[in-house]
Amino acid sequence: MAGMCCGVNIGEAETAAPVEPSSKSSRRRRLLDIHQFKFTTTDKAVATPMESGGTRKRQKMEEVVPASSLRDCADGVHSCEVKEIEKRLIDDDVPEEKGPETKSFDLKASTSETQLDVVVPECPKYGMTSVCGRRRDMEDAVAIRPSFSDRSFNLRGGIHLFGVYDGHGCSHVATRCKDRMHEIVRNEIGSGRGASWEQMMSESFSKMDKDVIEWSTASETGDEDPGSVCRCELKTPQTEAVGSTAVVAIVTPDKIIVSNCGDSRAVLCRKGVAIPLSVDHKPDRPDELKRINESGGRVIYWDGARVLGVLAMSRAIGDNYLKPYVISEPEVTVTERTAEDECLILASDGLWDVVSNETACGVALKCLQSCKPRSPPRSPGSDITFTAEGESSDKACSDASILLTKLALARHSADNVSVVVVDLRSGQ
């Protein structure tokens, strides 16, 4: 019976002699035998691989399947090949007891580790500037602790701490807060008591206050080395008249927790709008004035409102001689992060005394929007001196903090100026 092959008539007496396939063709056919697949378009057209024994010419794949399907199919073939190789390695080559020679075949472990690296976000970009300004002594301290706790609530993201501490009387309480606050907060998070953020931060500030008093006492009696010689230890043996403000921001993948004690401040820039995340603790604030009066203290106006005519803030860490009028209890705010969040600014009152929240946000956003792409950290030889814990991780954030500091000095700020700018934009 006559037949057709490639459009040519073949008689009954004519038979095609078997041809030994070449090695390249043979390998291709074996691969197709292993990976059976088909391509389907929206028109229900189907292209099947050529059977190993047939001689019918294959149609061009571009005529049957669109380019996008070709890409997907190529990925599918690659995936099938990988799975087939993994199966052969596991079934044939891997011995029952794993040894050093089989370490590279632990494919599942390496895959999960790679996925974990992909989903864990890095610390937000930040920049910090801290200058003495027109003051005789530098009493500010800044702490930046990326991924400071290994016991975060969500394994898909770390938690990061940013703190600004504005000392008064001397610098050693602010320095102590910089060195110890993150450790105390980390212990509270890892305590396993399941407390709220408000409770954990309040307890952390209380423990920080006690730690400062005990450390100061031990340093005065010689039981503990203070670590550095500061001005008050050279001139006066008593350090109870020393304290510090504290504004601490903890940034998680979905929240911003701000704890404030004193007149340093945290401001969130969201969609171009300045949102204060803390309220300054001034002695003439109505609720603070009432609390001081009820505890037996007085607010005296001497170059501004002051507790007992001395301290120009109603809450602080340290200042043991002004207790119970001056307390260390922080006010805590918990803010849900959104896709519209742009940056977070933490600063001492050296900035906020002369620069409004709106102006600070406008300056920071201009810097963040004008510096693209992101640049590596500023080199150690730059013209701005950063503290060891607060060096910049991004030029745009660094430029924002520098510009805000220069703006405060240009407006004749008479205090130390410390500024931290954290980039919260998604996709950074």
Side-chain angles (χ1 to χ4, degrees), residues 347-377:
S348 60
D349 64 335
L351 174 72
W352 304 120
D353 285 346
V354 295
V355 178
S356 66
N357 296 348
E358 292 74 18
T359 300
C361 281
V363 170
L365 291 179
K366 285 292 184 182
C367 292
L368 295 182
Q369 293 167 359
S370 62
C371 293
K372 294 180 180 181
R374 302 287 200 275
S375 59

Side-chain angles (χ1 to χ4, degrees), residues 15 28 36 38 77-78 126 141 158 166 191 206 356 374 402:
T15 58
R28 180 183 302 149
Q36 295 296 327
K38 64 181 181 179
V77 172
H78 177 73
Y126 61 87
D166 182 1
S191 63
S206 177
S356 66
R374 302 287 200 275
I402 293 171

Side-chain angles (χ1 to χ4, degrees), residues 307-371:
V307 179
L308 300 184
V310 178
L311 191 61
M313 66 201 71
S314 56
R315 301 193 187 192
I317 293 176
D319 294 304
N320 197 38
Y321 76 112
L322 290 175
K323 297 185 185 306
Y325 322 127
V326 175
I327 61 176
S328 61
E329 178 71 18
E331 288 186 317
V332 183
T333 61
V334 180
T335 306
E336 295 290 334
R337 292 182 62 176
T338 70
E340 297 175 342
D341 293 347
E342 292 163 314
C343 69
L344 176 68
I345 303 174
L346 285 79
S348 60
D349 64 335
L351 174 72
W352 304 120
D353 285 346
V354 295
V355 178
S356 66
N357 296 348
E358 292 74 18
T359 300
C361 281
V363 170
L365 291 179
K366 285 292 184 182
C367 292
L368 295 182
Q369 293 167 359
S370 62
C371 293

Side-chain angles (χ1 to χ4, degrees), residues 19-294:
V19 180
E20 184 68 19
S22 65
S23 59
K24 182 176 180 180
S25 176
S26 177
R27 286 197 301 271
R28 180 183 302 149
R29 289 169 182 166
R30 286 199 300 270
L31 178 62
L32 292 173
D33 289 340
I34 293 174
H35 306 296
Q36 295 296 327
F37 58 92
K38 64 181 181 179
F39 306 98
T40 303
T41 68
T42 57
D43 298 329
K44 306 300 182 182
V46 177
T48 57
M50 182 178 64
E51 295 182 358
S52 58
T55 58
R56 186 175 181 178
K57 184 183 294 184
R58 293 181 297 175
Q59 297 179 358
K60 288 185 178 181
M61 206 64 70
E62 293 80 3
E63 297 176 358
V64 182
V65 185
S68 60
S69 298
L70 285 174
R71 288 193 296 269
D72 296 338
C73 294
D75 294 338
V77 172
H78 177 73
S79 177
C80 291
E81 292 175 353
V82 172
K83 290 181 180 179
E84 183 69 17
I85 294 172
E86 292 181 18
K87 184 176 184 301
R88 290 178 180 177
L89 288 173
I90 294 173
D91 293 343
D92 301 335
D93 298 335
V94 180
E96 294 182 359
E97 296 183 3
K98 285 188 176 182
E101 66 279 7
T102 65
K103 189 173 182 180
S104 60
F105 298 147
D106 195 2
L107 300 174
K108 292 183 179 180
S110 61
T111 301
S112 58
E113 289 175 2
T114 302
Q115 292 174 348
L116 184 61
D117 291 339
V118 171
V119 298
V120 174
E122 63 180 5
C123 176
K125 303 297 183 182
Y126 61 87
M128 187 277 287
T129 306
S130 186
V131 298
C132 184
R134 293 177 173 83
R135 282 290 182 92
R136 183 183 63 177
D137 300 302
M138 181 61 178
E139 297 178 337
D140 284 3
V142 177
I144 297 178
R145 304 288 180 173
S147 303
F148 75 101
S149 175
D150 56 357
R151 299 180 180 181
S152 60
F153 296 111
N154 187 348
L155 293 178
R156 294 175 65 86
I159 53 180
H160 320 285
L161 183 145
F162 303 88
V164 172
Y165 310 100
D166 182 1
H168 47 263
C170 193
S171 62
H172 69 262
V173 173
T175 302
R176 184 67 174 179
C177 290
K178 168 189 170 182
D179 295 337
R180 287 281 294 138
M181 179 67 84
H182 70 284
E183 297 176 352
I184 296 173
V185 174
R186 180 173 58 202
N187 292 337
E188 285 298 313
I189 293 174
S191 63
R193 289 193 290 267
S196 65
W197 278 111
E198 291 82 355
Q199 293 171 322
M200 286 190 294
M201 297 310 298
S202 294
E203 187 65 23
S204 297
F205 272 58
S206 177
K207 289 183 177 180
M208 186 73 249
D209 187 58
K210 294 177 181 177
D211 178 271
V212 164
I213 295 173
E214 294 172 359
W215 173 76
S216 298
T217 303
S219 299
E220 291 171 6
T221 58
D223 296 335
E224 182 176 340
D225 184 5
S228 63
V229 178
C230 57
R231 175 171 51 85
C232 70
E233 290 171 349
L234 290 174
K235 293 185 177 181
T236 59
Q238 301 297 325
T239 57
E240 287 192 347
V242 179
S244 174
T245 71
V247 58
V248 176
I250 295 178
V251 178
T252 75
D254 58 349
K255 290 182 177 63
I256 302 173
I257 301 94
V258 172
S259 307
N260 179 55
C261 176
D263 56 3
S264 295
R265 192 183 307 167
V267 177
L268 172 67
C269 301
R270 175 178 289 174
K271 205 174 181 179
V273 178
I275 303 174
L277 300 185
S278 65
V279 180
D280 300 350
H281 293 123
K282 295 293 188 180
D284 56 351
R285 206 177 88 176
D287 55 341
E288 290 294 286
L289 178 61
K290 180 180 178 182
R291 180 186 60 78
I292 293 170
N293 291 333
E294 289 179 350

